[in-house]
Amino acid sequence: MNHSDQEPAAPESLTPGSPLASPLSPHTTPDWIRLQKALSVEADRGFNDVEGKQHRFSEFISLTLSQAPVALPAIDQQRWQELGSKFTTYAELTFSQRQHLVADTRRFLHQVRQTWEEQGKGERGEGRGVGESASTVPAKTPKTTPLVDASRPVALDQAVTYLAGIGPKNAEKLAKLGLITVRDVLFYYPRDHLDYARQVKIRDLTEGETVTLVGTVKRCTCFSSPRNTKLTILELIVRDHTGQIKLGRFFAGSRYSSRGWQEQQKRQYPPGATIAASGLVKKSKFGMTLDNPEIEVLQQSGDAIDSLTVGRVVPIYPLTEGVGADLVRRAVIAALPAVKQLQEALPETLREQYGLVEIQEAIAHIHFPPDSTTLDAARRRLVFDEFFYLQLGLLKRRQTQRQIQASAVIAPTGQLIEQFYDILPFQMTNAQQRVINDILNDLQKPSPMNRLVQGDVGSGKTVVAVVALLAAIQSGYQTAMMAPTEVLAEQHYRKLVGWFNLLHLPVELLTGSTKVAKRRIIHAQLETGELPLLVGTHALIQDTVNFQRLGLVAIDEQHRFGVQQRARLQQKGEHPHVLTMTATPIPRTLALTLHGDLDVSQIDELPPGRKAIQTTMLTGKERMQAYDLIRREIAQGRQVYVVLPLVEESEKLDLKSAIDEHRELQENVFPEFTVGLLHGRMTSAEKDDAITRFRDNETQILVSTTVVEVGVDVPNATVMLIEHADRFGLSQLHQLRGRVGRGGSQSFCLLMSSSKTEAARQRLKVLEQSQDGFFISEMDMRFRGPGAVLGTRQSGLPDFALASLVEDQDVLELARQAAETVMAKDETLSRWTLMQQELDYRYRRLMGGAILT
């Protein structure tokens, strides 16, 4: 089975369920592949100290490096063991320290391995013929050749040390960026480009443009700043036939303040010399100038500009402390000849169909394109590759899932489902019925269902899930529903108990607050099979929870769980059907990226009778209008939410806190009403009490943090007042707004914001104008980016080097289409060996083990 067909591969020793290899004997050959793979996986997964079944990553590395192979030189043995000891304190290191330690270790192992392999088997006494002794093996003469042979191109898998002009010290610096091999350098894409290729005359300079001009030096001065002796200023007066301009460059550091260096600069740009200067045009008190320009001396005005930075499109690379832009550019230039060794993995017909340049051309031109058109073509090809291999991997995962035999084949009809329809006091919407049909069709198939149901707040996802649960129960299976918080789990339990009591079916709730005696009863009922449905939080995945015959798992707000948590619940049965739900509408591009291996259904219709929630933006001056509305609604027997972003006041942020606001509202603003308080730092019992009192209308106003975002269902609440609304994302504001408008009365959402920025006002206007969760999440992604929409890094969003889910949506759609075409022609990829190899490599690195399902 290929790695792309399953969770991205960790080293065997780090894969859950695999035994950890014994530490290396000092007399054995190191397992280079396992060591490098372990380090690579740790880097790909965010330096989180990946956990295997028996050992964490740091334990595995420290054990493996505890004894150095005796064949290594003494200095390398010492370094080997030093690195091993550093991993014993890995848990205490900062993110940056972990990053550097892993990079240093990868670089060291790469160099040691090359030395080891160059020595050859004969020198270590391995592989000798019968009767050969050590003395009969000719000794190798020591190498006297230079480290870099300019006549031989470097190989893709060689260390960056072997690049011309780099060497060991610079290689150490590049390792901080994760650049260990020549391939790493080639695929280290610029984060931006400056286009200096446009050459203009001095009189045509326009502020804000990036240009190149060619002129003659009229005067050059170089001196230390009178205000700061460590700052040196180089000033040039340059003219062409259209005018003249004053250019300045600044050099910080005492080494530039020496008289000799300054005189050297003046000699470099003598009066009459022809220069080319590139930079951003800005206004100064002397007129137009170039901001800290790049300058090159030409022989004469008609000469070609032969420079890495002047008169061309210049790459700007992501950097880190101690690694300069010039060093990265130098490494890229030295590595570029190796581009010819890259093999084209995409078939020619596919490249022609989607208008893609070849990989060699794309890599060369993403670094140093001759013009912006070539850059666009290179970037499009590389973005396509990122999306294509992700989609191909997701489709192969789905294919593999469909080959698994489901342990439960469930009948789509039966008495329980009919009885449930009879007791419902409302008719299902067309959208709900469509999604139910999708689910029931899945449950009859021989492979396990893996379906995501997306639906706005209040669209009726729970009712849809109940039909699926009842289908499994009437076929003789047990079921489980997992929610991310106790509040939401209890909400589901309360709703399900009402229905299941009428159907004479038992249902239990298991959370962290469940008493020990009750837990024992629930565990026993699960093992005998007499409990058909268990609702709960993370408590469901504890080792003591054992189902007799688990057939279906429903997971609500699934993006709030980690990958391993969802997997552990599925492991409670033998390939049970999985139904995941989310009330956080996800834009199509995000859904394709995260859930490309899932079947997705949308409930895109609200139940009849629901009124649109009237949403209004207010400033601090309009606060009394909000309070007047609250009084009117409470006078009619309604209730109100007041939501704040903080529990307690922050010294750094000038924001109201929930605790302070509760006190202010109760004592000064609404003393005639009862004001409740709810926040995440309260105990479960305190939260339950606050929610129950609000649900029973004992408190008319509930002041809360975002803990009410999911799970609190009070149809009588008609006003949602959100303080500091500009501090929330649009998707989160839409979720909060969904807490009201759940009854038949007109509801209101008031967005209080003191922000004066136009961007903040534009974001909030989206909520004023739309009730469509999918449109709102799309806009949220454009404003804040995909990671912010999902809320957490553990959501499984892959790290793209170039691709943007906001700007490259059209390329993603094409890549998905191409991947589907390829899979339809040959789902094994056996006819495209290079494509399969590239998929294995890219998919593993791109997803970093964080794939959702």
Side-chain angles (χ1 to χ4, degrees), residues 398 438 450-454 591 595-596 598-602:
R398 186 162 74 172
D438 289 343
N450 212 350
R451 183 169 291 276
L452 170 69
V453 175
Q454 291 192 94
H595 309 304
L598 292 183
D599 298 305
V600 180
S601 295
Q602 292 183 359

Side-chain angles (χ1 to χ4, degrees), residues 196 247-250 278-282 289-294:
Y196 293 147
L247 303 178
R249 290 204 71 189
F250 302 91
S278 296
L280 177 69
V281 182
K282 70 171 189 178
T289 188
L290 301 184
D291 187 25
N292 209 28
E294 299 285 349

Side-chain angles (χ1 to χ4, degrees), residues 577-702:
H577 298 280
V578 180
L579 176 68
T580 54
M581 301 179 289
T582 180
T584 306
I586 302 175
R588 174 170 165 75
T589 48
L590 261 185
L592 272 180
T593 305
L594 293 170
H595 309 304
D597 55 343
L598 292 183
D599 298 305
V600 180
S601 295
Q602 292 183 359
I603 305 179
D604 49 8
E605 182 183 355
L606 289 176
R610 286 281 176 95
K611 295 180 180 176
I613 300 164
Q614 193 174 312
T615 305
T616 311
M617 244 194 317
L618 298 173
T619 63
K621 296 176 183 176
E622 300 164 306
R623 181 172 295 281
M624 297 317 295
Q625 295 178 28
Y627 290 164
D628 290 343
L629 173 64
I630 288 171
R631 286 191 180 92
R632 285 201 306 272
E633 287 297 302
I634 295 178
Q636 296 175 41
R638 311 292 179 214
Q639 289 165 275
V640 176
Y641 294 102
V642 178
V643 176
L644 297 99
L646 297 177
V647 178
E648 294 171 347
E649 192 170 355
S650 165
E651 293 179 8
K652 293 183 180 178
L653 298 172
D654 182 22
L655 303 177
K656 288 185 178 182
S657 75
I659 293 171
D660 293 338
E661 183 72 354
H662 171 255
R663 188 186 306 114
E664 171 69 13
L665 294 180
Q666 182 65 87
E667 294 176 3
N668 301 323
V669 184
F670 301 114
E672 69 273 32
F673 305 130
T674 307
V675 183
L677 177 64
L678 177 67
H679 59 75
R681 293 188 192 168
M682 297 164 69
T683 65
S684 294
E686 289 170 336
K687 287 182 195 169
D688 289 345
D689 182 59
I691 292 167
T692 303
R693 287 169 61 80
F694 188 63
R695 189 179 288 117
D696 297 342
N697 206 356
E698 292 177 30
T699 55
Q700 289 76 52
I701 301 172
L702 182 62

Side-chain angles (χ1 to χ4, degrees), residues 503-798:
L503 297 170
H504 308 292
L505 290 172
V507 55
E508 291 290 357
L509 175 68
L510 183 64
T511 70
S513 304
T514 306
K515 299 284 188 291
V516 175
K518 182 64 175 175
R519 279 175 185 270
R520 289 199 188 107
I521 295 170
I522 291 173
H523 292 165
Q525 290 178 337
L526 285 177
E527 289 181 11
T528 59
E530 59 191 289
L531 182 60
L533 171 60
L534 180 61
V535 181
T537 56
H538 304 76
L540 296 188
I541 62 176
Q542 300 304 313
D543 291 339
T544 49
V545 177
N546 295 305
F547 292 82
Q548 187 197 62
R549 201 178 184 215
L550 182 61
L552 184 134
V553 170
I555 303 174
D556 197 13
E557 291 300 325
Q558 57 84 32
H559 63 284
R560 290 170 176 256
F561 290 104
V563 181
Q564 292 178 340
Q565 290 169 329
R566 291 190 295 271
R568 283 190 67 183
L569 181 57
Q570 290 172 245
Q571 288 161 9
K572 296 291 179 183
E574 291 185 24
H575 305 302
H577 298 280
V578 180
L579 176 68
T580 54
M581 301 179 289
T582 180
T584 306
I586 302 175
R588 174 170 165 75
T589 48
L590 261 185
L592 272 180
T593 305
L594 293 170
H595 309 304
D597 55 343
L598 292 183
D599 298 305
V600 180
S601 295
Q602 292 183 359
I603 305 179
D604 49 8
E605 182 183 355
L606 289 176
R610 286 281 176 95
K611 295 180 180 176
I613 300 164
Q614 193 174 312
T615 305
T616 311
M617 244 194 317
L618 298 173
T619 63
K621 296 176 183 176
E622 300 164 306
R623 181 172 295 281
M624 297 317 295
Q625 295 178 28
Y627 290 164
D628 290 343
L629 173 64
I630 288 171
R631 286 191 180 92
R632 285 201 306 272
E633 287 297 302
I634 295 178
Q636 296 175 41
R638 311 292 179 214
Q639 289 165 275
V640 176
Y641 294 102
V642 178
V643 176
L644 297 99
L646 297 177
V647 178
E648 294 171 347
E649 192 170 355
S650 165
E651 293 179 8
K652 293 183 180 178
L653 298 172
D654 182 22
L655 303 177
K656 288 185 178 182
S657 75
I659 293 171
D660 293 338
E661 183 72 354
H662 171 255
R663 188 186 306 114
E664 171 69 13
L665 294 180
Q666 182 65 87
E667 294 176 3
N668 301 323
V669 184
F670 301 114
E672 69 273 32
F673 305 130
T674 307
V675 183
L677 177 64
L678 177 67
H679 59 75
R681 293 188 192 168
M682 297 164 69
T683 65
S684 294
E686 289 170 336
K687 287 182 195 169
D688 289 345
D689 182 59
I691 292 167
T692 303
R693 287 169 61 80
F694 188 63
R695 189 179 288 117
D696 297 342
N697 206 356
E698 292 177 30
T699 55
Q700 289 76 52
I701 301 172
L702 182 62
V703 177
S704 174
T705 57
T706 55
V707 84
V708 298
E709 185 183 343
V710 291
V712 181
D713 187 6
V714 180
N716 192 46
T718 56
V719 180
M720 167 64 73
L721 170 61
I722 304 173
E723 297 280 0
H724 306 291
D726 51 287
R727 306 290 302 185
F728 298 90
L730 291 182
S731 294
Q732 192 173 29
L733 289 171
H734 180 62
Q735 290 284 306
L736 290 167
R737 176 169 64 178
R739 294 301 106 205
V740 296
R742 303 174 82 84
S745 306
Q746 176 63 56
S747 292
F748 306 88
C749 179
L750 309 176
L751 305 172
M752 296 293 301
S753 171
S754 55
S755 174
K756 294 182 173 61
T757 67
E758 185 58 32
R761 295 186 63 79
Q762 283 182 346
R763 284 177 57 241
L764 297 181
K765 275 187 183 298
V766 172
L767 278 170
E768 273 192 327
Q769 295 163 1
S770 177
Q771 308 272 325
D772 182 347
F774 288 97
F775 171 74
I776 289 166
S777 67
E778 184 78 43
M779 294 305 294
D780 202 13
M781 188 170 79
R782 290 184 180 279
F783 280 119
R784 298 194 304 149
V789 172
L790 294 167
T792 54
R793 283 294 305 130
Q794 64 116 44
S795 58
L797 190 65

